[in-house]
Amino acid sequence: MTQPEGPVVVVHRSADVALALCAAGPCGVLLLSAPGAAGSLGAAWFQALVARAVGTVPPPLPPWALVLDCADAPGLALAALRTGVRCLVLDSACPGFAAVAAAAAEVGGTLFGARPPALDMAAIDPARPADRARLTAWLAGGG
């Protein structure tokens, strides 16, 4: 289990992804799904959401990675790995965690046993200067 390399934001919409990417600095950003999104929306949906937004952001793009929350469902985590998702959250107390960790390591992936600290983009209104400043501070590591 590895810790995130850069700041983490929870994204719910393409607009969240685009805003986070535009505001991210050279450290980049980890784009975390909503809790349990692997079971409610699916890996393919989350990948498409992020890809659609990435395509709208002008270059240069900061480093970024998507992180799919699989809650306590190791089968969903393994399915996500098969679709190309390489960074996952899976409850470390669930049966099968060790098997998913081994599978993730085999493909060069990262598995978190709990959700990392993150700023939820649902609480950010890009029209409000204070919210934009809060996002910029979070992405700069000032939380």
Side-chain angles (χ1 to χ4, degrees), residues 60 67 69 79 83 133:
V67 184
D69 189 319
T83 67

Side-chain angles (χ1 to χ4, degrees), residues 48-72:
L49 172 95
V50 172
R52 183 172 43 254
V54 166
T56 68
V57 177
L61 281 174
W64 63 273
L66 61 86
V67 184
L68 181 63
D69 189 319
C70 300
D72 60 355

Side-chain angles (χ1 to χ4, degrees), residues 13-136:
R13 307 170 301 136
S14 290
D16 296 340
V17 175
L19 181 60
L21 289 173
C22 287
C27 291
V29 61
L30 293 174
L31 306 166
L32 177 61
S33 74
S40 60
L41 301 169
W45 177 88
F46 190 55
Q47 288 172 299
L49 172 95
V50 172
R52 183 172 43 254
V54 166
T56 68
V57 177
L61 281 174
W64 63 273
L66 61 86
V67 184
L68 181 63
D69 189 319
C70 300
D72 60 355
L76 292 175
L78 291 171
L81 288 170
R82 284 192 295 275
T83 67
V85 177
R86 294 294 177 254
C87 196
L88 304 167
V89 174
L90 180 65
D91 183 347
S92 62
C94 80
F97 182 84
V100 175
E106 190 174 302
V107 297
T110 301
L111 181 64
F112 300 107
R115 289 176 65 83
L119 176 67
D120 193 331
M121 294 295 288
I124 299 296
D125 178 353
R128 297 187 59 208
D131 283 0
R132 287 195 315 270
R134 188 168 142 223
L135 174 61
T136 300

